[in-house]
Amino acid sequence: MCGIAGIMVGQGADLDQSILRRMTDALTHRGPDGEGFYLGNYVGFGHRRLSIIDIDGGAQPMHSQDKKLILTYNGEIYNFQSLRRELEGLGHHFITQCDTEVVIHAYEQWGTDCVSRLRGMFAFAMWDTRKNQLFLARDRLGIKPLYYGTMADGSFVFGSELKALLEHPACKRKLRLDAMEDFLTLGYVPNPKSIVAGIHTLDPAHVLVKTYGTVGHRTECYWTPDMETRPSVVADEAELMDRLGEAVKMRMIADVPLGAFLSGGVDSSSIVGLMGKFSKNPVETCSIGSEDQDFDESGFAQSIADYFGTHHRLRLMSPQEGVGLVDTLAKVYDEPFADLSAIPTYRVCSLAREKVTVALSGDGGDELFAGYRRHKFHMLEERFRAPIPLALRRLIFGPLAKYYPKLDRAPQFLRGKSTFEALARSSAEAYCQSVSKTPDRERYRLHTPKMTKMLAGYHPHERFNQLADE
């Protein structure tokens, strides 16, 4: 990963280089291999680089050959080689071998529509001196982060992490209350909010355009999954493995050591097996185990490592070590994040970095393949919700949910409170509740009358309703 940061000052103001440097320095951990700056009259870019492709030729910020475009970019474009050939056929001349230059030429050829041709994970900023226009873009699934906001002095700022924006002296560090309510419900703050009022995250598959000297900016969605056409079902295991194989192979393009996180689960094991298929040397794998045998799954990872003949490394963690990481994780994540997996994830990243620069993981498998129990339970509830109007369900199941006791230690078939609550809600609201860290009945007990008044009826399921409507 790399780190990007930038400032567009308000009209009539001067660019303060020291602020830009502080913002960029806050991202040093993202890019230990080098730094670079672009300093214009009223726009400045900072970049911290982690070298992965074309180590000698990919320094940033990068200029177009006519010096009219300046790019600071974080990510990888997996189809950059085929895009480069297409652009060369259209008359473009390349100087480097890196994917960064492909982004510049793609913008020259297709303008802001270039993002629809990029296959990869990315967050970038392009300054177009011909139009006095700043262009921000984020990949389809939001793998790479991008924060932005307008400061009290009129400056528009952006960065890979919240900590970069907090370095700006005009940033007001004020808590956003509805974001805190989101966190208490979900365990994280969802896009496009941040925990700090006035700072936002650019939504996945969105671009932002801001012209110097104008008030505000515009954002647009450039891609969305097709929810109208019923998806084709993969015919057999061979076809599925071909698709996974293509995805893994594209992500192995690198000029630096590459490895994988291995838990021993189906998802990471599949990826490690496919990496071995495309690698000339044994795959570098690593995993974190627990000194508490009741929670240790390292034996599964070792079995997979032995089967595929990887160079496997294991490190054990104690519960005390996890407690000691709390302050560190607060600095890493910037925003509150209530997922215990953050602790072993931090440790496995540290372990991997001792040998490799890029590591593949199996995140997302359960979501893509409906691997959680909640997916099955939700669909069972849908059978009851579908034939009964919501108003009638609220009339029937609302009182049942309110008065039925919470029997956590009773047999499964007697634990009906959560089910009654779900049946009294819409599908989207019920799913929000199923992924909640803190159910409504418990969270509302934390609210003072003042807090309730300030929230003004806000509920985190509003975001779920919005996504369901889309």
Side-chain angles (χ1 to χ4, degrees), residues 95-285:
I95 298 173
T96 72
Q97 300 299 316
C98 67
D99 55 344
T100 307
E101 191 180 5
V102 171
V103 177
I104 292 179
H105 286 283
Y107 181 88
E108 286 180 319
Q109 183 66 38
W110 298 298
T112 57
D113 289 338
C114 67
V115 287
S116 63
R117 295 173 176 263
L118 305 180
R119 185 175 179 185
M121 54 178 184
F122 55 84
F124 67 78
M126 185 84 72
W127 173 236
D128 189 334
T129 62
R130 298 164 301 187
K131 301 178 180 179
N132 272 356
Q133 181 175 282
L134 178 66
F135 176 59
L136 304 182
R138 194 175 180 199
D139 63 70
R140 287 170 171 78
L141 299 182
I143 299 170
K144 291 301 182 184
L146 189 57
Y147 289 81
Y148 71 90
T150 300
M151 303 292 100
D153 66 351
S155 298
F156 180 87
V157 299
F158 66 88
S160 295
E161 297 181 19
L162 183 59
K163 59 175 63 68
L165 280 68
L166 295 179
E167 288 295 326
H168 197 289
C171 178
K172 295 183 176 180
R173 301 185 177 212
K174 184 179 179 181
L175 181 71
R176 180 167 175 167
L177 288 182
D178 60 339
M180 186 176 75
E181 184 73 351
D182 289 332
F183 166 69
L184 291 174
T185 304
L186 303 171
Y188 63 92
V189 179
N191 289 318
K193 301 174 188 175
S194 83
I195 198 67
V196 180
I199 296 179
H200 314 278
T201 55
L202 186 61
D203 265 324
H206 276 66
V207 298
L208 182 152
V209 177
K210 181 172 177 60
T211 303
Y212 176 70
T214 61
V215 177
H217 58 268
R218 63 180 174 87
T219 58
E220 294 180 3
C221 179
Y222 66 87
W223 174 85
T224 187
D226 180 8
M227 294 297 193
E228 299 298 325
T229 306
R230 187 174 179 84
S232 59
V233 177
V234 174
D236 53 33
E237 182 181 334
E239 184 180 352
L240 172 61
M241 295 309 291
D242 284 345
R243 296 188 187 186
L244 286 175
E246 179 198 11
V248 169
K249 187 176 182 179
M250 293 183 78
R251 284 156 180 80
M252 292 180 67
I253 301 172
D255 297 329
V256 292
L258 193 110
F261 302 153
L262 180 59
S263 67
V266 174
D267 40 16
S268 67
S269 301
S270 301
I271 288 171
V272 167
L274 288 165
M275 289 178 71
K277 179 180 177 182
F278 302 121
S279 178
K280 296 178 181 178
N281 302 312
V283 177
E284 291 282 348
T285 58

